[in-house]
Amino acid sequence: MCHRYLSTTLLFALLPSTLLAHSGHDQVTLSPETESDWATRHMAEEHHISNFDPGAFFTLHDFDSSLSWSADEIRRLYGLDDESTKNVDEGKKVEVVRKTLETFDRDDDGLVERDEWLQGWRAGKRLEDFGLGPGHHGDDEYEYEIHHFEKFHDENTREEDLTHPEDIEHFRKHDEMEAAAERQEKLDSMPIVEQNIPQKFRRY
């Protein structure tokens, strides 16, 4: 039962030996000196990775594999579209994107390209901490795994042991999604969806 919660976690657990292994002199290891760096804390809190290089960091957050970060990807990196930042003023979110581009986008094309990121990093530039949290950018399943399941449960946990408020809320969301999917499947199987017919055209 619990194995479905481990898939994403296992994927990221493999990253240090594959994607994150290409370190070199730019490698960063979590330490008291680096804990104030937002990117390092993001990797530790959001991905449970304490050893990485800037190239691996960039690739991990190049969500569309385009070798550049767009404004939307910067928003996702900082978790600006996550539920945890829903009360943050949109102007503040725009500022986050603008300042990040100002720091790394050398040719002013509205993108942070991989080379620009690496050049900026080697010049001592870092992602700014805007005080908006560690940057939640996974889906609900991943966020549940990384922030709760890994901390309080393991692969030996039985379904009946998942009784924490976070577990209950997680299962509630699953039930709602399954119920919605079942309703949609039922509607899709109907030749005519009565609810879609305007009231004045219905016959009883």
Side-chain angles (χ1 to χ4, degrees), residues 16 72 119 143 145 166 169 174 176 181 186 191 193:
D72 287 342
Q119 289 174 21
E143 294 295 337
E145 289 177 10
E166 294 84 353
E169 175 64 13
H174 266 282
E176 288 181 351
K186 184 177 179 180
V193 181

Side-chain angles (χ1 to χ4, degrees), residues 69-138:
W69 289 348
S70 65
D72 287 342
E73 286 174 299
I74 294 171
R75 286 180 67 100
R76 183 174 174 184
L77 166 62
Y78 274 100
L80 301 183
D81 297 318
D82 184 75
E83 182 75 10
S84 62
T85 59
K86 66 179 182 180
N87 294 323
V88 176
D89 183 74
E90 183 61 27
K92 178 66 173 179
K93 296 179 179 182
V94 171
E95 177 189 1
V96 170
V97 175
R98 177 178 60 78
K99 286 192 173 182
T100 302
L101 289 172
E102 286 178 355
T103 302
F104 293 99
D105 180 18
R106 299 181 63 182
D107 58 6
D108 295 322
D109 65 350
L111 300 170
V112 177
E113 291 155 355
R114 190 175 190 276
D115 287 344
E116 291 176 323
W117 162 259
L118 292 175
Q119 289 174 21
W121 182 279
R122 290 165 183 159
K125 297 179 180 180
R126 297 293 184 266
L127 290 171
E128 185 174 340
D129 184 350
F130 294 95
L132 302 178
H136 300 303
H137 56 63

Side-chain angles (χ1 to χ4, degrees), residues 34-183:
T34 62
E35 284 181 357
S36 60
D37 173 55
W38 185 87
T40 305
R41 288 189 287 108
H42 168 81
M43 291 294 279
E45 294 184 32
E46 286 300 301
H47 303 296
H48 292 184
I49 294 172
S50 59
N51 193 306
F52 67 95
D53 68 37
F57 183 94
F58 184 91
T59 300
L60 184 61
H61 299 95
D62 180 12
F63 301 110
D64 62 2
S65 301
S66 64
L67 298 180
S68 64
W69 289 348
S70 65
D72 287 342
E73 286 174 299
I74 294 171
R75 286 180 67 100
R76 183 174 174 184
L77 166 62
Y78 274 100
L80 301 183
D81 297 318
D82 184 75
E83 182 75 10
S84 62
T85 59
K86 66 179 182 180
N87 294 323
V88 176
D89 183 74
E90 183 61 27
K92 178 66 173 179
K93 296 179 179 182
V94 171
E95 177 189 1
V96 170
V97 175
R98 177 178 60 78
K99 286 192 173 182
T100 302
L101 289 172
E102 286 178 355
T103 302
F104 293 99
D105 180 18
R106 299 181 63 182
D107 58 6
D108 295 322
D109 65 350
L111 300 170
V112 177
E113 291 155 355
R114 190 175 190 276
D115 287 344
E116 291 176 323
W117 162 259
L118 292 175
Q119 289 174 21
W121 182 279
R122 290 165 183 159
K125 297 179 180 180
R126 297 293 184 266
L127 290 171
E128 185 174 340
D129 184 350
F130 294 95
L132 302 178
H136 300 303
H137 56 63
D139 58 20
D140 288 344
E141 196 74 28
Y142 176 72
E143 294 295 337
Y144 169 74
E145 289 177 10
I146 204 78
H147 293 296
H148 182 76
F149 193 90
E150 279 193 4
K151 292 182 180 180
F152 301 103
H153 308 300
D154 58 33
E155 66 275 8
N156 299 314
T157 302
R158 300 170 300 173
E159 183 173 358
E160 56 265 32
D161 297 326
L162 299 173
T163 58
H164 297 166
E166 294 84 353
D167 300 320
I168 295 171
E169 175 64 13
H170 184 71
F171 281 119
R172 184 188 66 78
K173 288 183 178 180
H174 266 282
D175 290 342
E176 288 181 351
M177 291 171 62
E178 289 175 3
E182 288 175 2
R183 287 195 299 271

